[in-house]
C-alpha cells in the first residue's frame, strides 16, 4: 500500500486542543487505537503525519488498544489522559446522537463525497459541539471503502451494490442452517 497525503487526509483523527510539552519543548502526541500497526490508518499516521509534525512534536503511537481500552479513547482525550485517537461516527454518536447519521450505510457516495461533506459548513456545528463538550478537535475523515454485506450467497448468485439489490434475497433464500441439539 502506498501512503499518500490523500490517504492521510482520509483519516479521522481526534486531537486534544491542549497537549503536554516534553522536556525538549516538543509536544508529545500519544495516539491510541484498537487497530494494528499495519492498518492503513496507522501506516498513514506513521509515514505521513509523524514526519509532518516531527519539527515540533513527538508522535507516539500505541496499537491494539495497548494504552487505552477500545471505546474509551474520546473520554481519555476529554480528561487529558490522551492526545490522539482514530475514532468513528459510531463512537461520536455515543456522546452526540446526531453523529449517527454519518454511520448510516450509503450516506456518502464515495471518498470524495465524504470529504466534501466533512469540509462543508454543514459540519461546522458538529465539529464545534465535539470541541466544546469533549475538548476534542476533529481533524479529518477516513474512508474505509464501500459498504459490504456478508451473505450466504456467492457473487454469482447475488451482487449487492445498493439497498435495492437486497430485495433479491427473498428469491434466493436458502434452507435455514440447522444446528443439532
Amino acid at each position: 500500500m502506498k501512503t499518500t497525503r490523500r490517504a492521510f487526509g482520509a483519516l479521522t483523527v481526534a486531537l486534544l486542543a491542549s497537549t503536554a510539552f516534553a522536556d525538549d519543548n516538543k509536544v508529545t502526541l500519544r495516539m491510541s487505537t484498537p487497530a494494528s500497526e499495519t492498518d492503513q490508518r496507522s501506516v498513514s499516521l506513521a509515514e505521513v503525519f509523524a514526519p509532518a509534525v516531527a519539527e515540533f512534536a513527538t508522535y507516539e503511537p500505541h496499537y491494539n488498544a495497548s494504552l487505552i481500552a477500545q471505546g474509551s479513547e474520546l473520554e481519555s482525550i476529554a480528561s487529558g489522559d490522551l492526545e490522539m485517537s482514530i475514532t468513528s461516527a459510531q463512537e461520536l454518536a455515543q456522546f452526540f446522537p446526531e453523529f449517527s447519521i454519518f454511520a448510516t450505510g450509503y450516506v456518502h457516495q464515495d471518498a470524495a463525497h465524504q470529504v466534501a461533506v466533512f469540509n462543508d459548513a454543514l459540519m461546522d456545528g458538529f465539529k464545534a459541539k465535539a470541541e466544546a463538550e469533549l475538548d476534542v478537535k476533529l481533524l479529518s475523515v477516513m474512508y474505509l471503502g464501500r459498504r459490504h454485506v456478508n451473505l450466504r450467497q456467492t457473487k454469482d448468485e447475488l451482487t449487492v451494490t445498493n439497498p435495492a439489490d437486497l430485495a433479491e434475497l427473498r428469491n434466493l433464500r436458502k434452507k435455514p442452517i440447522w444446528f443439532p441439539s
Side-chain angles (χ1 to χ4, degrees), residues 53-123:
V53 301
E55 190 174 311
F56 61 89
T58 302
Y59 174 67
E60 188 179 290
H62 297 270
Y63 306 109
N64 304 311
S66 61
L67 181 64
I68 303 292
Q70 182 177 4
S72 302
E73 296 94 343
L74 291 175
E75 291 169 333
S76 295
I77 292 172
S79 68
D81 295 327
L82 182 66
E83 290 75 41
M84 295 179 65
S85 177
I86 299 170
T87 194
S88 68
Q90 293 90 334
E91 291 172 284
L92 286 163
Q94 293 176 17
F95 297 94
F96 314 111
E98 58 271 25
F99 270 90
S100 64
I101 186 65
F102 301 110
T104 306
Y106 304 104
V107 167
H108 298 111
Q109 298 163 3
D110 53 30
H113 182 237
Q114 184 179 23
V115 170
V117 169
F118 183 81
N119 292 328
D120 191 90
L122 161 81
M123 286 298 296

Side-chain angles (χ1 to χ4, degrees), residues 96-165:
F96 314 111
E98 58 271 25
F99 270 90
S100 64
I101 186 65
F102 301 110
T104 306
Y106 304 104
V107 167
H108 298 111
Q109 298 163 3
D110 53 30
H113 182 237
Q114 184 179 23
V115 170
V117 169
F118 183 81
N119 292 328
D120 191 90
L122 161 81
M123 286 298 296
D124 291 349
F126 289 102
K127 294 174 191 175
K129 188 170 188 173
E131 194 163 350
E133 295 185 26
L134 281 180
D135 205 16
V136 168
K137 184 167 184 70
L138 302 176
L139 299 179
S140 189
V141 298
M142 64 182 160
Y143 183 73
L144 294 178
R146 297 180 178 180
R147 293 286 180 162
H148 63 274
V149 178
N150 295 321
L151 303 169
R152 288 187 225 162
Q153 291 76 18
T154 66
K155 278 189 157 190
D156 292 336
E157 294 174 303
L158 177 66
T159 299
V160 177
T161 58
N162 61 61
D165 293 339

